[in-house]
Amino acid sequence: MSVKKASKPNLSHSQVTELTARLFGLTVSTIHPLPSYDDQNFHVVCVDAGDFVLKVMNSTDSENMKLLEVQTHSMNLLQQNGLPAQKALCTVTGKMMSLEELDCGYGLQKYLVRLLTYLPGTPMAKITCTPQLLYETGKMGAMLDKILLSMEHENLGALQRENFIWSLSCVPLINDYLHVMDGDPMQLIIRGVLDQYRNQVIPKLPSFRKCINHGDLNDHNILVKQDGPSCYRISGILDFGDMSSGYFVFELAITIMYMMIESRNPLEVGGQVITGFESIFPLNSDERDALYTLVLSRFSQSLVYARSAVLQQPENEEYLMITAKNGTRLLQLLWEKGKEEVEKAWFEGAANI
C-alpha cells in the first residue's frame, strides 16, 4: 500500500552524492534513478568501489527501525546461505543504516538510508519465462522461506505486522478500500473472492505451516542472467519491504500470481511453480485446497491497492499499475473458470512435470 505522497523521498542527485560520501566514504561518479513503489532507489557507481544501490526509505516506514533491521539482517542471512540477495554495507560508523533528516520539498523529515550491493541482471518481466525458470522460481521461494525460518534476531517480533494490508492474513482489509472500485465490474468479483476467503481459507489457517514470507516475489523483484543460448538462471532477489510472519502456502500463492502476469500461457504457470516449490516443501491437503482462493486474493489486493495508491501518487500511475494492467484480465479468467478447472490445470500439470 502506498503511503502519503509527502512521505515518499525525493532526493536530488547532489543529496545522493553527499549522503554516499558522508555516510559510506565513497565518491559517486554516476547516478541512475531506479523505479520504486514508496521509497527512492538509486544505482550509484562509485570511484574505485564499483556499483551499489542507495535505498532511501519513505518517512512513514523509516519510523519502524526494528522492522527494517530485521529485513536487512534477513538479506544478509540469505546471501550467506548462497541465495542471490543483496547485502547491506556498513556506514563509516559501523551501522547497517542511518536515519537522516532531509528536506525533499515537504520540510525536514527523517528517512532511513542504506547502501546495498548491486545485483546485475534483467528483471524476469522483460524476458519470456521458460517452464524450467518457473520451476526454479517456485523452488527459490520455498528455499528462501526455509532459510528465513531459521533466522534469529532480537526484533523478530516486528514481523508480526498486524493489519499489514499486503499480508495474505489480512485479505479482509480489502473491504476498507473497495470503494475505489465503485463502478468497476471487477468489484463484484473481488467481493466474491472475499467471501471465498472467509469461508474456505480462514477455517484452514490452523493447519497451514508457519514461516517468514518475503511476500513480494514478483517478476520485477527477481533478476535473471542468461545461462546458455535459451536458458536463464536467477541472479537476484530484491525488495524485502513486504516481509512478514506468514505461511509457506502464502509465498507459493503470491509467486504463482506474479508469474502469471506476463505469461503467454498463464494457466500453465501454476503447475510449473508448484512443482518447483514442492521439490523443497510439499503442501498438505488444506494448503492445496486453499491455494486457488489465495491466488485470487493476491490479485484482488494488487488491483484494489494499486487503484488506491494512484489517488495518492497520480504522477507515478504507470509504475503503480504495472500489475493491474494484466491482473484484471487474469483475475477474471481464474474466477470464470472456477476452482475445479484451475486446480485441475495446476495439479495435473505439476504431476506431469
Side-chain angles (χ1 to χ4, degrees):
M1 184 60 195
S2 185
V3 294
K4 290 182 179 178
K5 181 178 177 180
S7 172
K8 183 169 180 173
N10 185 29
L11 273 68
S12 65
H13 282 202
S14 62
Q15 286 174 307
V16 170
T17 300
E18 189 276 332
L19 281 173
T20 306
R22 177 167 53 83
L23 296 178
F24 302 99
L26 298 173
T27 302
V28 174
S29 60
T30 59
I31 300 171
H32 305 284
L34 298 170
S36 178
Y37 201 83
D38 286 329
D39 309 315
Q40 199 176 15
N41 302 323
F42 299 91
H43 173 194
V44 294
V45 181
C46 298
V47 177
D48 298 329
D51 297 42
F52 301 94
V53 174
L54 188 78
K55 190 169 184 70
V56 186
M57 305 299 295
N58 66 76
S59 61
T60 302
D61 288 343
S62 293
E63 295 173 2
N64 197 341
M65 179 82 80
K66 290 182 178 179
L67 177 62
L68 288 165
E69 285 179 356
V70 175
Q71 290 173 4
T72 307
H73 177 74
S74 70
M75 292 157 57
N76 289 352
L77 176 67
L78 292 170
Q79 199 260 350
Q80 291 163 11
N81 279 271
L83 268 64
Q86 291 171 290
K87 182 179 180 181
L89 278 73
C90 288
T91 66
V92 292
T93 58
K95 297 178 180 177
M96 288 288 186
M97 60 188 73
S98 180
L99 189 62
E100 296 293 313
E101 195 168 45
L102 304 166
D103 189 346
C104 292
Y106 313 109
L108 286 173
Q109 296 196 65
K110 293 181 178 179
Y111 305 96
L112 270 168
V113 179
R114 289 175 291 175
L115 191 69
L116 308 176
T117 51
Y118 178 82
L119 299 177
T122 302
M124 280 184 72
K126 294 186 177 181
I127 68 161
T128 300
C129 280
T130 62
Q132 179 64 27
L133 187 55
L134 291 168
Y135 172 92
E136 294 297 336
T137 302
K139 184 177 179 180
M140 180 72 73
M143 289 172 61
L144 187 152
D145 282 5
K146 287 196 81 169
I147 292 170
L148 292 181
L149 194 59
S150 67
M151 182 167 65
E152 296 179 359
H153 193 277
E154 59 184 354
N155 295 326
L156 268 186
L159 294 175
Q160 300 286 344
R161 302 174 72 174
E162 187 177 355
N163 295 329
F164 177 50
I165 60 171
W166 287 111
S167 169
L168 281 173
S169 294
C170 299
V171 169
L173 293 178
I174 291 174
N175 269 315
D176 297 341
Y177 299 84
L178 202 49
H179 61 88
V180 301
M181 305 293 289
D182 286 350
D184 189 324
M186 292 303 296
Q187 190 183 63
L188 277 177
I189 292 178
I190 293 171
R191 290 191 188 280
V193 173
L194 291 172
D195 286 340
Q196 280 195 12
Y197 183 91
R198 279 189 289 269
N199 297 327
Q200 299 178 21
V201 175
I202 291 177
K204 294 181 170 66
L205 284 173
S207 62
F208 292 175
R209 271 82 57 83
K210 293 181 178 180
C211 67
I212 294 170
N213 291 140
H214 174 282
D216 198 13
L217 288 178
N218 68 55
D219 52 357
H220 292 269
N221 286 339
I222 299 175
L223 301 177
V224 296
K225 291 184 75 173
Q226 199 149 9
D227 189 20
S230 58
C231 296
Y232 290 89
R233 60 178 175 83
I234 296 173
S235 62
I237 306 166
L238 307 177
D239 195 352
F240 286 72
D242 285 351
M243 273 183 67
S244 66
S245 297
Y247 303 91
F248 280 96
V249 69
F250 284 5
E251 198 79 86
L252 176 57
I254 291 166
T255 306
I256 290 173
M257 175 266 184
Y258 282 122
M259 292 302 106
M260 290 179 68
I261 294 294
E262 301 292 342
S263 175
R264 296 173 184 171
N265 302 295
L267 276 184
E268 296 177 10
V269 164
Q272 293 154 356
V273 177
I274 288 167
T275 308
F277 195 92
E278 289 199 309
S279 72
I280 301 295
F281 190 87
L283 300 179
N284 63 34
S285 58
D286 280 346
E287 290 163 341
R288 280 192 158 219
D289 192 53
L291 189 58
Y292 168 79
T293 303
L294 288 170
V295 172
L296 267 63
S297 297
R298 184 56 169 202
F299 270 116
S300 300
Q301 288 177 321
S302 182
L303 297 182
V304 171
Y305 297 147
R307 187 76 63 87
S308 180
V310 168
L311 297 178
Q312 296 283 350
Q313 299 179 41
E315 76 288 350
N316 202 21
E317 180 174 358
E318 183 178 355
Y319 179 74
L320 294 172
M321 296 295 286
I322 282 175
T323 301
K325 191 168 55 177
N326 289 328
T328 299
R329 173 180 59 84
L330 292 170
L331 176 56
Q332 190 166 5
L333 172 72
L334 293 174
W335 181 257
E336 290 175 353
K337 286 197 172 292
K339 185 173 187 285
E340 185 176 346
E341 186 175 345
V342 173
E343 284 185 341
K344 183 179 180 182
W346 287 352
F347 294 123
E348 285 188 6
N352 290 336
I353 295 169

